[in-house]
Structures are given as structure tokens and as C-alpha cells.
């Protein structure tokens, strides 16, 4: 079991939809949080608002960092180390989305996506896990996506980053479990957060409709299930019913899943 009460937890992407829910729910558990995101102003405003609503737990620090390169990840690690507090749990949650056919997305955009969604969690895990191994205690949580199990049209880059994060999590799990360090990868279906309004490009960007919000999940519920999985030291967490079903189909009925995916693609295309 991973204890959340009084645990020191670093959350990246803390100002985003899932990040705010993680902040709120972890404070309710009594955790001690270090929040990180791109904008310090947004972090401080969010911290103030949530702390007015939740009186348990503690926000130790808000650290603004751009995680889209090695230097940004190193800076975050150095700033956390300067606090002189050991991180018990690292939640790699920061991420970006984009939508479009592989060749119609500007290369700098999808390369940045790979940096933030895949390389940043790998870099931060590498930095923090060394301390966790020394302490024989810690937990790395990677927010992947259901796109780490099944790739939809227009999401090749995003899926590549999230499949990568799944593979990294599985490998890391095997490497650090003997040191009492846990790894959890989380695979949510579409959820109602700002990422659903990500940039769209080219042909596919113009023929697909906005994602129907009625099909998207409640981020509060998704993060509640995520934290249950973390407490139970689960390697793979499917935090909503769609995610559970799709990974089941992917494993046992992949042809049926392909058929359903084609039907969903058709439904989402503008007539
Ligand atoms: P979100 O609201 O857009 O949050 C993402 C956060 O990451 C934002 O606060 C964003 O900051 C931050 N971020 C982006 N680029 C960054 C960078 N270079 N350095 C540091 N932080 C950066 O989206 P979300 O849904 O909460 O996403 C959280 C995680 O869940 C992501 O990894 C996403 O891929 C994953 N996920 C989401 C869904 C979904 O449907 N919501 C489903 C499956 C998985 P700014 O807002 O300032 O850009």
C-alpha cells in the first residue's frame, strides 16, 4: 500500500484539469504537495483557491518550469532538491495534445509533444528514482492515456507518446520493484479538461467534429480511481469504464475493437 497522508507529492501539469483534481483530492488525503506547471501565476491562483476549499494537507511550494527540454526537467529537480524535502511520489501528469494527419502536423509541434509527454516523464523519473532507490521508498505515477493502448485516426503522435510511456512504466516497474519503489501507469479515456481543445491541423483537423462532451468522463471521478490504484500499488490503472472495456477488447478481441474504432471515426467526421 502507498500511504498518501503526509506523503510529499510532486505533481507536474498541476494547473490543468487533472492536475487541479489531483491537488484537491490529495489535500483531502492530507498529502504535502509541490505543484509545478508552466505559469507561476496560474499555480499560485489555483493553490489559493483550492486551499480556501480544502483545509487538510499542505501546499509546500509552487514551481514554474517548462518541461519541454532536458534543462527544464533538471531545473525542476534542482528546485525541489533545494527545498530539502524528499519526494515520496512523483506524478508525471503534464501533457499536451494535438490532432491531425501525421504529415500535416508541423514537425516542431509533434516533437514538442514527444518532449513533454514522453521525454519529460522519463527524465524526471530518472532524476527522482535515484533518490527513491537510495531511500528504498517511493512511487512514480505516469499519466499515460487509453491512447497508449489504442490509436485513433489523427492521434498518431499522441498515441506514440502514450504507448511509449506505457512501455517505459512497465520497464521501470521491473527495474525498481526490488528497491521498494512502485510504478503506476494510468490510462484514462477522454475526460472533460482543456486538453480536448488542443490544436487541430490539416485535412483531418477540418473534417472531424469537436469531441462530443457527452462521451467524455468526469475528471474528478477519473482522478479518484487513479488515486485508489496508486494506494493499491497497481502497475496499470484503467480509471473509467470505457478504458476498462477498451483494454479488454484490445487484449482478447482486437478485430472487434478495430471495427468499433472505424465506426467511431465515421461518427466523428463532419457530414
Ligand atoms: P490539461 O488541462 O491541458 O493539463 C495539462 C497541463 O500540462 C497544463 O496545465 C499545461 O500547462 C501543462 N503543460 C503543457 N506543456 C507543458 C510544458 N512544456 N511544461 C510544463 N507543463 C506543461 O489536460 P489534462 O487532461 O489535465 O492532462 C493531464 C494529463 O492527462 C496529460 O498527460 C494528458 O495527456 C493525460 N490525459 C488526458 C486525457 C483527457 O481526455 N483529458 C485523457 C487521457 C490522458 P498550460 O495549460 O499552461 O499549457
Amino acid at each position: 500500500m502507498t500511504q498518501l497522508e503526509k506523503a510529499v507529492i510532486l505533481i507536474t501539469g498541476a494547473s490543468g484539469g487533472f492536475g487541479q483534481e489531483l491537488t484537491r483530492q490529495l489535500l483531502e488525503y492530507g498529502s504535502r504537495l509541490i505543484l509545478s506547471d508552466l505559469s507561476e501565476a496560474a499555480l499560485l491562483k489555483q493553490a489559493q483557491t483550492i486551499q480556501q476549499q480544502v483545509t487538510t494537507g499542505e501546499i509546500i511550494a509552487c514551481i514554474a518550469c517548462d518541461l519541454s527540454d532536458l534543462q527544464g526537467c533538471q531545473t525542476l529537480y534542482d528546485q525541489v532538491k533545494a527545498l530539502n524535502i524528499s519526494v515520496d511520489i512523483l506524478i508525471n501528469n503534464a501533457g499536451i495534445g494535438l490532432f491531425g494527419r501525421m504529415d500535416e502536423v508541423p514537425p516542431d509541434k509533434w516533437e514538442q509533444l514527444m518532449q513533454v509527454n514522453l521525454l519529460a516523464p522519463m527524465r524526471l523519473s530518472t532524476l527522482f528514482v535515484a533518490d527513491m532507490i537510495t531511500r528504498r521508498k517511493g512511487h512514480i505515477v505516469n499519466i499515460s492515456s487509453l491512447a497508449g493502448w489504442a490509436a485513433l485516426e489523427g492521434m498518431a503522435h499522441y498515441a506514440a507518446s502514450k504507448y511509449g510511456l506505457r512501455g517505459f512504466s512497465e520497464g521501470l516497474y521491473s527495474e525498481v520493484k526490488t528497491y521498494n519503489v512502485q510504478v503506476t501507469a494510468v490510462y484514462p479515456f477522454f475526460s472533460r479538461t482543456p486538453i480536448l481543445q488542443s490544436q487541430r491541423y490539416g485535412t483531418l483537423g477540418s473534417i472531424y467534429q469537436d469531441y462530443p462532451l457527452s462521451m467524455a468522463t468526469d475528471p474528478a471521478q477519473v482522478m479518484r480511481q487513479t488515486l485508489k490504484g496508486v494506494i493499491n500499488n497497481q502497475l496499470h490503472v484503467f480509471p473509467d469504464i470505457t478504458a476498462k472495456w477498451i483494454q479488454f477488447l484490445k487484449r482478447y478481441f482486437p478485430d472487434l475493437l478495430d471495427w468499433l474504432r472505424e465506426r467511431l471515426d465515421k461518427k466523428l467526421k463532419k457530414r
Side-chain angles (χ1 to χ4, degrees), residues 233-252:
N233 293 341
Q234 276 174 247
L235 170 57
H236 299 295
V237 175
F238 299 92
D240 54 74
I241 191 72
T242 310
K244 285 187 175 72
W245 268 106
I246 288 188
Q247 72 90 25
F248 175 81
L249 293 175
K250 179 81 179 178
R251 280 170 191 248
Y252 303 110

Side-chain angles (χ1 to χ4, degrees), residues 13-19 37-39 65-68 93-96 112 116-117 143-146 158 162 188-196:
S15 304
F18 283 166
D37 210 307
L38 279 171
S39 154
C65 256
D66 182 348
L67 299 178
S68 62
N93 168 67
I96 47 183
Q112 191 197 14
V116 177
N117 291 9
I143 308 294
S144 175
S145 165
L146 196 51
Y158 185 78
K162 297 301 186 177
F189 181 58
F190 291 109
S191 193
R192 286 188 290 278
T193 75
I195 208 169
L196 295 190

